[in-house]
Amino acid sequence: MLAVLGTAVPGASASAHASRAAVSCTGSNTISFSPGLSLTAQRTRIGGSGSYSCLSTDPAVKWGKSSISGGGRNGCFFSDATTVEHITWNTGEKTKVVYRMGTVQQVAGQAVVLVVGRVVEGKFKGRTVTSPGVQAVLNPLECASQSGVERIVGPSGLLIV
């Protein structure tokens, strides 16, 4: 779900971090919020999907598709949510990722999303996951509207280390 523009590991460069990755993917996510994100944080359900093209230490893993669900207190400028991403790899293997911390910020009409989680079941169990992304909000004024931001769509990444 929800996703990181950059993830820092103390003492490690981004390229060193990526070179240790079990899987490095690029793709896109579509995330829905119910009720929509507004200027004030409120209890929100999260749902969505993702698709990724990947490079992996397992050469058989080339792509994955995911479903995303969760919830918590969310708004345009604050997020305290737990989400679960179920990834099905092209090999038929599955991965369940739980993201317990994340942020969603609206910046000039873009949702900048950062989530960090852990693989709790399936392929790559026990590894750390970051999922960076910038999803476009079609109308940046939606945060102030009655319905709020109900959906964000855009590029995302998936890094399993």
Side-chain angles (χ1 to χ4, degrees):
M1 142 168 180
L2 298 179
V4 177
L5 282 185
T7 305
V9 174
S13 70
S15 60
H17 190 62
S19 69
R20 293 191 322 238
V23 182
S24 179
C25 305
T26 58
S28 65
N29 282 347
T30 299
I31 308 296
S32 298
F33 300 93
S34 178
L37 301 178
S38 64
L39 297 174
T40 306
Q42 61 185 331
R43 281 239 161 256
T44 306
R45 287 186 317 278
I46 301 166
S49 61
S51 60
Y52 306 100
S53 177
C54 307
L55 295 174
S56 174
T57 55
D58 177 348
V61 173
K62 306 236 183 270
W63 56 265
K65 293 193 179 269
S66 71
S67 65
I68 300 159
S69 62
R73 286 187 51 77
N74 297 288
C76 286
F77 302 104
F78 174 83
S79 177
D80 182 12
T82 297
T83 56
V84 177
E85 184 170 22
H86 292 274
I87 305 165
T88 302
W89 304 105
N90 62 290
T91 60
E93 296 168 289
K94 297 182 184 301
T95 296
K96 179 180 178 181
V97 181
V98 175
Y99 300 101
R100 288 208 167 85
M101 61 182 192
T103 60
V104 177
Q105 300 275 329
Q106 296 296 325
V107 180
Q110 305 296 309
V112 179
V113 186
L114 162 61
V115 288
V116 177
R118 180 155 305 276
V119 177
V120 297
E121 290 179 20
K123 190 167 187 72
F124 309 114
K125 183 177 179 179
R127 293 188 178 258
T128 299
V129 181
T130 58
S131 185
V134 178
Q135 282 82 34
V137 175
L138 297 179
N139 178 358
L141 299 176
E142 285 182 74
C143 283
S145 72
Q146 186 172 2
S147 61
V149 176
E150 295 178 322
R151 184 173 163 219
I152 56 177
V153 178
S156 187
L158 189 66
L159 185 65
I160 301 174
V161 294

